[in-house]
Amino acid sequence: MSWHLYILSSIFIIAGIFHFVRPKAFMRVMPLYIPYHKLIVYLSGLAELSAGIGLLFTTSRVFSLWAIVIMLILFFPVHIHMLVHKKASLNLPKSILVFRLFLQFGIIYWAYQYI
């Protein structure tokens, strides 16, 4: 397995863990039109954690890569919400929020390279 996949796996495992460690931060950035914030934070954390772990095994790697691509696409509204609404921005500078938005395209491309 390429070391790139270990890095991608680590990113998603760590991100998934943070959904359980700091759920209020994740709930704060969610658009109001999304229901059940706490449940979705925990489910998305579990999905990120599972996808990150799944990358480590040949039998689940392709499924996990697709899961990462789909999750990142589904997370776009949250990143746009953070960019547009100051209260959801976690006081991050706009430049960082714009960078995060474009970074998602790069991570989607990165994951797709291994499918």
Side-chain angles (χ1 to χ4, degrees), residues 1-94:
M1 184 167 96
S2 167
W3 61 272
H4 297 107
L5 285 175
Y6 285 112
I7 292 174
L8 187 61
S9 172
S10 298
I11 290 169
F12 277 85
I13 289 171
I14 291 167
I17 289 169
F18 269 96
H19 280 71
F20 296 97
V21 174
R22 309 283 292 179
K24 288 184 181 179
F26 288 93
M27 288 188 295
R28 184 173 163 199
V29 302
M30 291 180 68
L32 294 176
Y33 61 82
I34 297 175
Y36 310 110
H37 285 180
K38 193 172 195 175
L39 176 63
I40 295 202
V41 165
Y42 287 134
L43 289 176
S44 61
L46 182 62
E48 287 182 358
L49 188 58
S50 299
I53 292 169
L55 288 177
L56 301 173
F57 302 97
T58 307
T59 55
S60 56
R61 188 167 301 139
V62 171
F63 179 82
S64 294
L65 288 164
W66 275 115
I68 286 170
V69 168
I70 291 166
M71 277 189 289
L72 290 175
I73 291 168
L74 291 174
F75 294 163
F76 271 114
V78 172
H79 291 283
I80 292 168
H81 179 73
M82 289 179 72
L83 185 60
V84 174
H85 296 89
K86 178 122 178 91
K87 190 174 181 180
S89 72
L90 300 177
N91 295 319
L92 294 170
K94 286 237 187 240

